[in-house]
Amino acid sequence: MNIEQMLFEEAKSLIKQRYPNGWGGAAAMYSKNGKIYTSVAPEIINASNALCIETGATLEAHKYQNIITHSICVVRDDELSDFKILTPCGTCQERLLYWGNKIKVAVTTNNDQPQYKLLNDLQPYHWTKAYDDIEFFE
């Protein structure tokens, strides 16, 4: 099984375990040293304090000083629904950019299999393009 499919399966497994009924969402990230980080969004009473599903995995990678190479965010509407892949939101794209613009991220498509794009391809006009790449990505 390739990394992309493995991450999809990890996220789905976490959703089934953590959210046996109803809505569920989980993220999975793969690091350069082969570690997989997973996370869910914390349940927050005040929505203005909510965090993205990927935040926990991002923080774990920072804690262990690992470089993320792949990321996926998966949700389902309820236990009877198909899984959906969510393209990283703008905030998560900025967080992932810490590890460079060559990270592979899963994107939303019409099929149920993960499709990955380079983070660089999601924002062809990203603000960092105003600067020499060496300043950000080396």
Side-chain angles (χ1 to χ4, degrees):
M1 184 180 321
N2 65 25
I3 293 168
E4 290 87 354
Q5 190 64 40
M6 185 172 48
L7 288 180
F8 188 39
E9 297 304 320
E10 286 283 330
K12 292 190 307 185
S13 177
L14 179 54
I15 291 169
K16 291 174 187 175
Q17 174 191 352
R18 173 67 176 79
Y19 304 100
N21 300 303
W23 179 92
M29 296 183 184
Y30 187 81
S31 71
K32 191 173 183 177
N33 70 356
K35 174 123 175 85
I36 295 177
Y37 297 98
T38 60
S39 60
V40 299
E43 295 177 23
I44 304 293
I45 294 172
N46 182 340
S48 68
N49 292 310
L51 294 170
C52 297
I53 295 169
E54 300 96 328
T55 304
T58 301
L59 294 174
E60 284 291 300
H62 278 287
K63 180 170 79 176
Y64 294 108
Q65 298 180 358
N66 288 329
I67 297 168
I68 294 299
T69 61
H70 297 73
S71 179
I72 190 170
C73 181
V74 180
V75 298
R76 67 158 195 227
D77 296 328
D78 60 46
E79 67 276 12
L80 302 175
S81 299
D82 292 334
F83 290 97
K84 301 174 190 177
I85 297 170
L86 302 182
T87 303
C89 72
T91 299
C92 286
Q93 289 180 39
E94 292 294 327
R95 290 174 179 155
L96 289 167
L97 191 62
Y98 173 80
W99 293 290
N101 59 14
K102 303 297 187 218
I103 293 174
K104 292 183 178 180
V105 296
V107 296
T108 304
T109 64
N110 290 334
N111 64 43
D112 60 352
Q113 293 303 308
Q115 180 179 355
Y116 286 74
K117 301 285 183 185
L118 292 178
L119 184 59
N120 187 56
D121 295 337
L122 297 187
Q123 292 189 13
Y125 304 102
H126 192 268
W127 64 268
T128 55
K129 296 201 186 320
Y131 301 92
D132 186 0
D133 276 355
I134 197 164
E135 293 178 40
F136 294 101
F137 305 119
E138 284 196 19

